[in-house]
Amino acid sequence: MVENERLKQELRRCEVELQELRAQPAVRCPGCEHSQESTQLRDKLSQLQLEVVENKGMLSELNLEVQQKTDRLAEVELRLKDCLAEKAQEEERLSRRLRDSHETIASLRAQSPPVKYVIKTVEVESSKTKQALSESQARNQHLQEQVAMQRQVLKEMEQQLQSSNQLTAQLRAQIAMYEAELERAHGQMLEEMQSLEEDKNRAIEEAFARAQVEMKAVHENLAGVRTNLLTLQPALRTLTNDYNGLKRQVRGFPLLLQEALRSVRAEIGQAIEEVNSNNQELLRKYRRELQLRKKCHNELVRLKGNIRVIARVRPVTKEDGEGPEATNAVTFDPDDDSIIHLLHKGKPVSFELDKVFSPWASQQDVFQEVQALITSCIDGFNVCIFAYGQTGAGKTYTMEGTPENPGINQRALQLLFSEVQEKASDWQYNITVSAAEIYNEALRDLLGKEPQEKLEIRLCPDGSGQLYVPGLTEFQVQSVDDINKVFEFGYTNRTTEFTNLNEHSSRSHALLIVTVRGVDCSTGLRTTGKLNLVDLAGSERVGKSGAEGSRLREAQHINRSLSALGDVIAALRSRQGHVPFRNSKLTYLLQDSLSGDSKTLMVVQVSPVEKNTSETLYSLKFAERVRSVELGPGSRRTELGSWSSQEHLEWEPACQTLQPATRAHSAPGSGTSSRPGSIRRKLQPSA
Ligand code: ADP
Ligand code: MG
């Protein structure tokens, strides 16, 4: 540090000198000794400056060194302090040990003498030696332990070495074995390789030979193909030509097809047109034929009369009894089947009707007569067939018949079915049936759920003037089975309703109404025909004295309705302007089927036996009158007048009040009792 201080001072002095020198003006005097001196000084200065720099570096180094040394000094001092502390501790420890030792010695002294000797010896030794000894002992102990440990380790190592030696020997033996095997495998491999090589060479040789043969064949084939190709080329050329031709044709085909289609279409159209016109022609002809047929039918009916009356005489039955009362009183004309002779009270009376059936006539014979009427129903005509006559004369037998031998009702329906079936290709038909009863001027539905309910006859609300019965049951029927079911149902209804059916049915009118509705499939023309099959109440007259109460009332009702029926038929046949349909339920209900171009057939049933001749006479008179109305316009009124006034007035006083309408519409006739009918008169020369 002193050196340093000196150098600093010298530096400061040098700087001062330098400043002074700089302050002096520059003197240029070459060769002058001052300038040389100055140069020397300058050099010296720069040298000194360099020295200063060097010294400064040295100074800083020294400073650093000083610093380091100071640090080390501090460290040494610290260590010294630690050592001192350690020393104090050690001293402490030693003194403690010493104390312990003293205590031990004291305790040992208290023990046996040999021990005392040792203690003495120990006491002789200096404490230093004691310490060294104990340290060396400790070290010795430690070394011994280490030696023992090393020995142990050595022993283990030897064992390991030994086992590894064994392992090595084993491995060596294995290696030797593997090597031997390897050697053997190598030998085998070499052998195999050699044999494979041989095989390969052989195969190659064979393949080569085969390939050569094949090659030869291929060459031959190739030659053949070449020649073939040469011959095929012209064929290919022609094929190509053909193909091109076809292609051209195909291109033109749609046009050709269109043309063909057009011509075919035109042909078909023409054919259709022809067929159409043919059809039209046929249809026209058909319609004309239809009209013609209807006209012919009408003409036929007109010729026969729209209202026809036939008689049927039943055979004598067991019920007629025996004796003179049961003898036969009816005979027939063998040449004319429209004449019937009756022996009444010994006098023969003859009647002419449209047809007379003898007792031998079968149900089929009778049906044959009415068949045309029934078929006209299919053409849309309304038809009424009445069975008239006294009770027991055979009305029900003719209309209903027996199960084995059915009457008009069932046969008519069967005929309708078969006719409809025949026309099924052109027409579609729907057949329905209703059954009703008129008793004491009350109309009842026999097929309804409540047969006791009274039905009303009403005008159709559509303004057509047609009548209908609201609530009257209509059953559609398609087979005989259906009809049987309907009849059975009606019969059951009637039997449950009335305890004495026979008696009841003879006092009521039973109606079976069959409606046939048809549609012409080609023209759409619709027809509706109604067939009314009526089993009238018994026409027998009840004696004035014998009739009382309900029986009288029944008789009056029957009489009134039958008179009304006679009036209506008479009015229709004489083509009167007013027809008294409303005078009874029966005629009112049948109004549609009695008027217009409707057809009516009255079957007058006759009992042939003696005891019934007066009723038979009455029935035949009624029949002839109905029929004779048509004889001529002049005579009609007279005929009608005489009928109403004569027959019914025979017992009319009793029921006069009930029949104002009937009489009102009967012409106020002559009241004469002369029997009309030129034929009858002609046939009765003896009367
Ligand atoms: P109505 O109905 O007029 O009262 P029915 O038809 O009941 O009379 O006939 C009375 C009886 O006469 C019945 O037993 C019936 O079988 C029989 N009868 C009626 N007409 C014939 C006939 N043509 N052939 C055979 N028996 C008949
Ligand atoms: Mg009857």
Side-chain angles (χ1 to χ4, degrees), residues 241-286:
N241 283 343
D242 283 357
Y243 170 73
N244 285 335
L246 279 173
K247 218 156 114 182
R248 271 195 299 280
Q249 276 183 14
V250 165
R251 229 174 275 137
F253 184 70
L255 271 174
L256 216 76
L257 189 71
Q258 262 179 4
E259 215 161 291
L261 274 176
R262 213 176 298 132
S263 73
V264 166
R265 249 187 230 138
E267 269 173 42
I268 289 172
Q270 207 176 333
I272 287 173
E273 243 168 62
E274 272 170 33
V275 169
N276 240 352
S277 67
N278 263 355
N279 271 356
Q280 291 287 328
E281 180 63 22
L282 281 174
L283 208 68
R284 218 189 61 240
K285 278 185 185 162
Y286 170 68

Side-chain angles (χ1 to χ4, degrees), residues 180-194:
E181 214 162 299
L182 204 65
E183 193 79 9
R184 200 161 42 79
H186 190 70
Q188 271 180 4
M189 202 177 74
L190 280 176
E191 271 170 31
E192 265 175 38
M193 266 169 73
Q194 201 159 350

Side-chain angles (χ1 to χ4, degrees), residues 108-339:
L108 284 172
R109 255 188 208 142
Q111 284 173 7
S112 53
V115 179
K116 270 181 199 165
Y117 169 73
V118 175
I119 293 164
K120 271 180 195 157
T121 318
V122 172
E123 276 176 346
V124 174
E125 286 167 356
S126 72
S127 61
K128 224 176 189 176
T129 319
K130 255 191 242 172
Q131 196 179 343
L133 181 68
S134 70
E135 273 173 16
S136 357
Q137 271 176 346
R139 216 165 30 238
N140 193 19
Q141 182 76 19
H142 179 68
L143 282 172
Q144 267 177 355
E145 279 171 10
Q146 270 191 352
V147 167
M149 222 156 65
Q150 289 297 330
R151 265 201 200 117
Q152 185 70 25
V153 172
L154 188 68
K155 215 173 177 179
E156 281 171 17
M157 294 277 263
E158 270 174 359
Q159 276 172 357
Q160 273 183 8
L161 186 66
Q162 212 169 347
S163 67
S164 60
N165 274 349
Q166 278 173 358
L167 202 70
T168 312
Q170 271 176 9
L171 286 171
R172 278 221 183 92
Q174 269 185 6
I175 286 167
M177 204 172 69
Y178 286 144
E179 271 174 353
E181 214 162 299
L182 204 65
E183 193 79 9
R184 200 161 42 79
H186 190 70
Q188 271 180 4
M189 202 177 74
L190 280 176
E191 271 170 31
E192 265 175 38
M193 266 169 73
Q194 201 159 350
S195 79
L196 281 174
E197 189 80 12
E198 281 164 13
D199 281 353
K200 186 184 90 181
N201 287 341
R202 218 174 18 251
I204 286 171
E205 270 166 28
E206 277 171 19
F208 186 69
R210 240 190 349 259
Q212 266 183 338
V213 172
E214 273 174 22
M215 196 72 173
K216 211 169 161 188
V218 165
H219 272 296
E220 278 164 14
N221 266 353
L222 191 68
V225 166
R226 272 208 188 109
T227 52
N228 270 352
L229 205 63
L230 282 175
T231 54
L232 276 175
Q233 255 169 0
L236 185 68
R237 223 168 288 132
T238 55
L239 271 178
T240 313
N241 283 343
D242 283 357
Y243 170 73
N244 285 335
L246 279 173
K247 218 156 114 182
R248 271 195 299 280
Q249 276 183 14
V250 165
R251 229 174 275 137
F253 184 70
L255 271 174
L256 216 76
L257 189 71
Q258 262 179 4
E259 215 161 291
L261 274 176
R262 213 176 298 132
S263 73
V264 166
R265 249 187 230 138
E267 269 173 42
I268 289 172
Q270 207 176 333
I272 287 173
E273 243 168 62
E274 272 170 33
V275 169
N276 240 352
S277 67
N278 263 355
N279 271 356
Q280 291 287 328
E281 180 63 22
L282 281 174
L283 208 68
R284 218 189 61 240
K285 278 185 185 162
Y286 170 68
R287 280 190 191 135
R288 212 179 54 211
E289 284 302 314
L290 213 68
Q291 277 174 355
L292 212 67
R293 184 187 131 119
K294 202 164 177 184
K295 224 167 101 184
C296 286
H297 188 86
N298 285 346
E299 190 60 24
L300 181 77
V301 169
R302 198 188 61 74
L303 286 173
K304 280 188 165 181
N306 255 353
I307 299 168
R308 296 176 60 233
V309 184
I310 63 172
R312 187 183 191 187
V313 183
R314 73 154 167 84
V316 179
T317 62
K318 260 189 236 162
E319 282 75 37
D320 291 322
E322 280 171 20
E325 279 206 325
T327 53
N328 180 47
V330 177
T331 49
F332 307 92
D333 190 323
D335 303 317
D336 191 344
D337 64 358
S338 60
I339 308 292

Side-chain angles (χ1 to χ4, degrees), residues 391-392 394-397 502 505-506 535-536:
T391 301
K395 297 183 297 295
T396 307
Y397 185 85
N502 262 345
S505 64
S506 74
D535 184 354
L536 289 167

Side-chain angles (χ1 to χ4, degrees), residues 554-570:
E554 278 174 0
Q556 287 165 350
H557 279 302
I558 293 164
N559 182 62
R560 187 170 68 163
S561 63
L562 290 177
S563 299
L565 181 63
D567 287 341
V568 164
I569 292 174

